[in-house]
Amino acid sequence: METSWGPPPTTDGIGTTLERHILERQRAHPQATGDFTGLFQQVALAAKLIASRVNQAGLAGILGLTGAINVQGEEVQKLDDFANRTLIKCVEASGHVCVMASEEVEEIILVPERYPTGKYVLMFDPLDGSTNIDVNVSIGTIFSVHRRVTVGRDGTLADCLQRGSAQIAAGYVIYGSSTMLVYTTGDGVHGFTLDPSVGEFFLSHENIRIPPRGKTYSINEGNAGKWDKPVSDWVSWLKSADAEAGRPYALRYVGTLVADFHRTLLKGGVFAYPGDKKSPQGKLRLLYECAPMALIAEAARGAASDGKGRILDIVPTELHARTPLFIGSRDDVADAIRFMGS
Ligand code: FDP
């Protein structure tokens, strides 16, 4: 059965803003200081600033490259750079974090001396799907929040290298036909749609659950020549006809993780970026992409695996570590794991 989404009714008829939603949940924890709500407000502000820039991209002279090469060896787009600077600027002055890390920056990002530090660690992929920026296809921002594990003014690398299951929140923003922010604090996944006329995110997708099985698979088939046999066998199986089992699956691939994951979250199915002969660890980054999406997937009753075990159990050894990823509907991910183990 298809779920139809929309704002849930409120007693005052105003709608539930992102801030109100987080505040109400915080009140359930008497020890809460409001710090977490404060951090979220800054992330949401950055998302609105980025969304506004994305919407004007063709007009504002910010399409194209900066000329720089990032830590991943990729050409930096102007919008990538804008999104990265915006997130850092919005969050660093707020006093809620002790350290940050960005997919675009080689080392950890410390809070300048002029600002206080706080107990949280924020990691983010400021603009996911860079190759889709110039062609007006959905792009996104991904973020992950941990509690610090070190003491002292500044956070350290150890605060960033925590396993995914230690995340206290994760989310993403999709700049698509509308701008949406989806987040979890581990118990339930909630989606908010930006109303650009008021500049607020309103609850539109309450308690999202991934269907246990879907009808689509999402993978870059252009890499098929480099795949290992288990991946080739799995994809061939997904494409083989078995009407009773609902196969063949349809292929959907945007090439922006946020967009491919968002569709999978709402409709079910499986997204994969496996390792291959050239890149055994695949392409996607554990800390900025896979772990936050895995927290969301599991909180929505789906699953996320590297083909062997839970993504959330992986202990990162470096800031920019990569991992193979199979994510989405519980039964579809279980099928993938079965093939990977064969
Ligand atoms: P991009 O390089 O365009 O920023 O990790 C980045 C990412 O996009 C993901 O968003 C996306 O799922 C994947 O790479 C696409 O990679 P391919 O072009 O190799 O399919």
Side-chain angles (χ1 to χ4, degrees):
M1 201 186 70
E2 288 283 309
T3 315
S4 63
W5 300 104
T10 50
T11 45
D12 54 18
I14 290 177
T16 306
T17 61
L18 175 63
E19 189 179 341
R20 179 166 155 183
H21 195 259
I22 294 167
L23 269 173
E24 277 170 9
R25 283 163 169 257
Q26 285 263 287
R27 284 196 200 108
H29 302 279
Q31 74 285 11
T33 57
D35 258 4
F36 184 70
T37 313
L39 173 58
F40 247 80
Q41 279 169 339
Q42 295 311 310
V43 172
L45 171 62
K48 287 185 247 184
L49 292 167
I50 298 166
S52 144
R53 200 51 89 91
V54 167
N55 289 338
Q56 303 164 21
L59 301 171
I62 51 162
L63 292 181
L65 305 171
T66 60
I69 301 289
N70 75 6
V71 55
Q72 320 289 346
E74 302 157 344
E75 292 176 308
V76 178
Q77 300 266 349
K78 288 184 196 163
L79 214 48
D80 266 333
D81 183 52
F82 172 81
N84 190 51
R85 281 187 291 110
T86 301
L87 266 156
I88 295 173
K89 292 284 169 220
C90 286
V91 175
E92 69 177 8
S94 70
H96 302 306
V97 299
C98 61
V99 65
M100 289 181 274
S102 163
E103 197 236 352
E104 288 295 322
V105 182
E106 188 156 6
E107 305 289 343
I108 56 172
I109 303 163
L110 295 179
V111 176
E113 288 289 338
R114 61 185 181 281
Y115 302 126
T117 57
K119 58 177 178 271
Y120 294 115
V121 178
L122 179 73
M123 291 187 276
F124 51 84
D125 178 355
L127 211 74
D128 178 61
S130 316
T131 53
N132 281 327
I133 295 175
D134 284 359
V135 290
N136 214 345
V137 174
S138 296
I139 48 182
T141 296
I142 309 173
F143 61 93
S144 155
V145 184
H146 285 266
R147 207 179 291 278
R148 74 178 299 180
V149 289
T150 61
V151 289
R153 180 192 178 275
D154 290 320
T156 70
L157 186 59
D159 292 305
C160 297
L161 299 185
Q162 300 186 52
R163 71 175 76 209
S165 55
Q167 289 171 103
I168 57 165
Y172 62 83
V173 184
I174 177 165
Y175 311 105
S177 45
S178 57
T179 297
M180 273 190 73
L181 187 150
V182 176
Y183 88 95
T184 184
T185 49
D187 59 343
V189 177
H190 308 288
F192 297 77
T193 302
L194 181 66
D195 180 342
S197 62
V198 265
E200 275 292 350
F201 283 105
F202 287 96
L203 183 60
S204 54
H205 294 58
E206 193 173 25
N207 215 4
I208 303 171
R209 296 206 173 136
I210 307 184
R213 182 173 286 285
K215 300 176 192 150
T216 59
Y217 72 105
S218 188
I219 192 167
N220 185 343
E221 290 235 23
N223 292 332
K226 295 183 279 176
W227 288 343
D228 295 322
K229 190 168 180 308
V231 177
S232 301
D233 288 349
W234 173 58
V235 173
S236 300
W237 177 80
L238 288 168
K239 294 194 283 192
S240 64
D242 181 341
E244 216 169 291
R247 299 198 316 275
Y249 275 29
L251 170 65
R252 295 283 183 278
Y253 191 73
V254 177
T256 296
L257 173 65
V258 169
D260 283 312
F261 178 75
H262 187 65
R263 181 196 57 252
T264 306
L265 180 69
L266 296 181
K267 303 271 189 194
V270 57
F271 170 88
Y273 210 111
D276 59 36
K277 294 191 176 68
K278 197 166 149 232
S279 314
Q281 289 307 304
K283 176 181 186 189
L284 303 180
R285 292 78 175 174
L286 175 60
L287 289 173
Y288 317 107
E289 297 177 306
C290 302
M293 292 314 203
L295 193 78
I296 297 169
E298 288 202 6
R301 300 196 180 165
S305 169
D306 64 355
K308 295 194 281 277
R310 275 171 92 213
I311 291 287
L312 293 180
D313 285 339
I314 301 174
V315 180
T317 49
E318 50 175 323
L319 213 44
H320 295 282
R322 296 172 197 252
T323 176
L325 177 68
F326 300 84
I327 192 166
S329 292
R330 188 194 58 205
D331 295 350
D332 289 317
V333 173
D335 286 339
I337 295 171
R338 190 159 46 79
F339 272 89
M340 296 315 123
S342 61

